[in-house]
Amino acid sequence: MHSYRKELLFNIPTRRAFLNITPQIEECLRDSGIREGLCLVNAMHITASVFINDDESGLHHDYEAWLEKLAPHEPVSSYQHNRTGEDNADAHMKRQLMGREVVVAITDGKLDFGPWEQVFYGEFDGGRRKRVLVKIIGE
Amino acid sequence: MHSYRKELLFNIPTRRAFLNITPQIEECLRDSGIREGLCLVNAMHITASVFINDDESGLHHDYEAWLEKLAPHEPVSSYQHNRTGEDNADAHMKRQLMGREVVVAITDGKLDFGPWEQVFYGEFDGGRRKRVLVKIIGE
Amino acid sequence: MHSYRKELLFNIPTRRAFLNITPQIEECLRDSGIREGLCLVNAMHITASVFINDDESGLHHDYEAWLEKLAPHEPVSSYQHNRTGEDNADAHMKRQLMGREVVVAITDGKLDFGPWEQVFYGEFDGGRRKRVLVKIIGE
């Protein structure tokens, strides 16, 4: 069994954004040389997500509006977590809705994806340096 | 390390449905011959889910009503994604709530489950040919 | 490839609670002797979650209030599942929002975590004996 590890670095200037990181994951997979196995991609920070969905800007707009409806940023004072001096409690909720991680099958040296699957980094509390972990195990 | 891959095919006639796919996953596991490892089961489409919960029809009715409340199908025009000609934006939200994938431990040649755990395919935009990927690695 | 399996046991006296189980997972990892691989931690019960977030009591209070808003316990009779004699339909919803499982990278014999990542057991229907499965594969 072989293993590969890499951190991807992000510093998103806006509070919230969705970033297609599929090319970076594919590059990691090529570097790893692994042909059969599993690839874990996870946010290393707890106000960010890694998820798989469609690379369509209208959908991303809809996700943004929907997440804000289910876990609104305002009023900031409605969250006890924000008494710690943060204003990002909503980001901890949004991250749970979109998820921390994805596990992707590696088959014949490729990400084993359906026709529209793309990997996204979801930032819900930007303006900070953040990391995503890519860990691949296999042969 | 051994690996096994299979695609399960679905074409659900209704827009939404929950289907217990545990028997198919168990058959994959038998075919693989793997006794110890991990089994990834993921929707290959972005308006469908794979999740683990209870095989109880009342609960499935409740999930359907709850998902429709948190991410309503109507009004279709309220979603920017639907300007692409689709009417399935809500399905992309419902899929995030229920999840893309599950990872199941394989122990002694069996799905290592608690007493009520069953694997479901969740369809949120049916009437199309869809696939689920089963990937097992181990020994 | 080596594999390791352990069940963690819980019997939470209250209906709902969040419990930091990171120390138990670290102990499992030490016992396993595995230095590189993947660690799956999943609830074996379908009204409980395993998730990764921040160990901050204000945030946990916010999660509790937020989950109750998105999937209220009352009225119990509003859920068909509760006609089976249970009163825990809401717990099945809350568990989907927070997730069944996490997969954690193992690097150099350690849980490969960002600065604030901690593993939690989320109980949504306590007063029963419940289990969490820890499965580690690697070398």
Side-chain angles (χ1 to χ4, degrees):
Chain A
M1 198 203 80
H2 291 273
S3 69
Y4 171 92
R5 178 193 194 274
K6 188 160 185 192
E7 292 181 8
L8 309 177
L9 304 178
F10 302 97
N11 197 335
I12 307 279
T14 52
R15 182 176 287 270
R16 292 193 287 273
F18 299 120
L19 199 64
N20 188 338
I21 61 172
T22 316
Q24 286 105 303
I25 310 300
E26 287 170 337
E27 193 184 334
C28 288
L29 181 54
R30 281 193 298 272
D31 288 354
S32 76
I34 291 172
R35 307 281 303 169
E36 291 291 327
L38 294 177
C39 175
L40 168 70
V41 187
N42 71 264
M44 299 183 76
H45 299 262
I46 52 190
T47 53
S49 285
V50 170
F51 67 97
I52 287 174
N53 217 292
D54 194 3
D55 197 357
E56 199 278 301
S57 62
L59 179 65
H60 296 182
H61 175 276
D62 295 336
Y63 274 142
E64 158 67 15
W66 178 68
L67 290 168
E68 187 59 18
K69 189 176 149 202
L70 292 189
H73 180 65
E74 300 276 0
V76 167
S77 64
S78 65
Y79 297 101
Q80 285 198 9
H81 179 60
N82 290 337
R83 297 181 193 169
T84 62
E86 297 284 356
D87 68 351
N88 64 7
D90 65 303
H92 292 270
M93 273 88 200
K94 289 171 169 115
R95 125 64 174 262
Q96 289 306 122
L97 292 173
M98 297 303 275
R100 166 189 181 256
E101 78 212 13
V102 296
V103 177
V104 181
I106 306 302
T107 303
D108 203 19
K110 297 209 169 125
L111 301 175
D112 198 337
F113 272 160
W116 302 102
E117 289 190 287
Q118 297 281 298
V119 187
F120 289 89
Y121 175 69
E123 177 62 81
F124 305 117
D125 186 34
R128 307 185 187 201
R129 202 165 162 277
K130 303 246 186 125
R131 290 176 289 155
V132 162
L133 180 64
V134 183
K135 185 91 181 188
I136 310 173
I137 69 166
E139 276 183 354
Chain B
M1 199 202 78
H2 292 272
S3 68
Y4 171 92
R5 178 192 193 274
K6 187 160 186 192
E7 291 182 8
L8 308 179
L9 304 178
F10 302 98
N11 197 337
I12 307 276
T14 53
R15 182 177 286 271
R16 292 193 286 274
F18 299 120
L19 198 64
N20 188 338
I21 61 172
T22 315
Q24 287 104 304
I25 311 300
E26 286 169 338
E27 191 183 335
C28 289
L29 181 54
R30 280 192 299 272
D31 288 353
S32 76
I34 290 172
R35 307 281 302 168
E36 290 291 325
L38 294 178
C39 175
L40 169 70
V41 187
N42 70 263
M44 299 184 77
H45 298 263
I46 54 191
T47 53
S49 285
V50 170
F51 67 95
I52 287 174
N53 216 292
D54 194 3
D55 197 356
E56 198 279 301
S57 62
L59 179 65
H60 296 181
H61 175 277
D62 295 336
Y63 273 142
E64 158 68 14
W66 178 69
L67 291 168
E68 188 59 19
K69 189 176 149 203
L70 292 189
H73 181 64
E74 301 275 1
V76 167
S77 64
S78 66
Y79 296 101
Q80 285 198 9
H81 179 61
N82 290 337
R83 297 182 193 168
T84 62
E86 297 283 357
D87 67 351
N88 64 7
D90 65 302
H92 292 268
M93 273 87 199
K94 289 172 169 115
R95 124 67 172 258
Q96 289 306 121
L97 292 173
M98 297 304 275
R100 166 188 181 258
E101 79 211 14
V102 296
V103 178
V104 181
I106 306 301
T107 302
D108 202 19
K110 298 212 169 123
L111 301 175
D112 198 337
F113 273 160
W116 302 101
E117 289 191 286
Q118 296 281 298
V119 188
F120 289 89
Y121 175 68
E123 177 62 81
F124 305 117
D125 185 35
R128 307 186 188 200
R129 203 166 161 277
K130 303 243 187 128
R131 291 175 288 156
V132 161
L133 179 63
V134 182
K135 184 91 183 188
I136 309 174
I137 68 167
E139 278 182 354
Chain C
M1 199 204 78
H2 291 273
S3 69
Y4 172 92
R5 178 194 194 273
K6 187 160 187 192
E7 290 182 8
L8 308 179
L9 303 178
F10 302 97
N11 197 335
I12 306 278
T14 53
R15 183 177 286 271
R16 291 193 287 273
F18 299 120
L19 198 64
N20 189 338
I21 60 172
T22 316
Q24 287 104 303
I25 312 299
E26 287 170 337
E27 192 183 335
C28 289
L29 181 54
R30 279 192 300 271
D31 288 353
S32 76
I34 291 172
R35 307 281 303 169
E36 292 290 326
L38 294 177
C39 175
L40 169 70
V41 188
N42 69 264
M44 299 184 78
H45 299 261
I46 54 191
T47 52
S49 285
V50 171
F51 66 97
I52 288 175
N53 216 292
D54 193 3
D55 197 356
E56 199 278 301
S57 62
L59 178 66
H60 296 181
H61 175 276
D62 295 335
Y63 273 142
E64 158 68 14
W66 178 69
L67 290 167
E68 188 58 19
K69 189 176 148 201
L70 293 189
H73 181 65
E74 300 276 359
V76 168
S77 63
S78 66
Y79 297 101
Q80 285 198 9
H81 179 59
N82 291 337
R83 298 182 193 169
T84 62
E86 296 284 356
D87 67 352
N88 65 7
D90 65 302
H92 291 269
M93 274 87 200
K94 289 172 169 114
R95 123 65 173 261
Q96 290 305 122
L97 292 173
M98 298 303 275
R100 167 188 180 258
E101 77 211 14
V102 297
V103 178
V104 181
I106 305 302
T107 303
D108 202 20
K110 298 210 169 123
L111 301 175
D112 198 337
F113 272 161
W116 301 102
E117 289 190 287
Q118 297 281 298
V119 187
F120 288 89
Y121 174 68
E123 177 61 80
F124 305 117
D125 186 35
R128 305 185 188 200
R129 203 166 161 276
K130 302 244 188 126
R131 291 174 289 156
V132 162
L133 179 64
V134 183
K135 184 90 180 188
I136 310 174
I137 68 166
E139 278 182 353

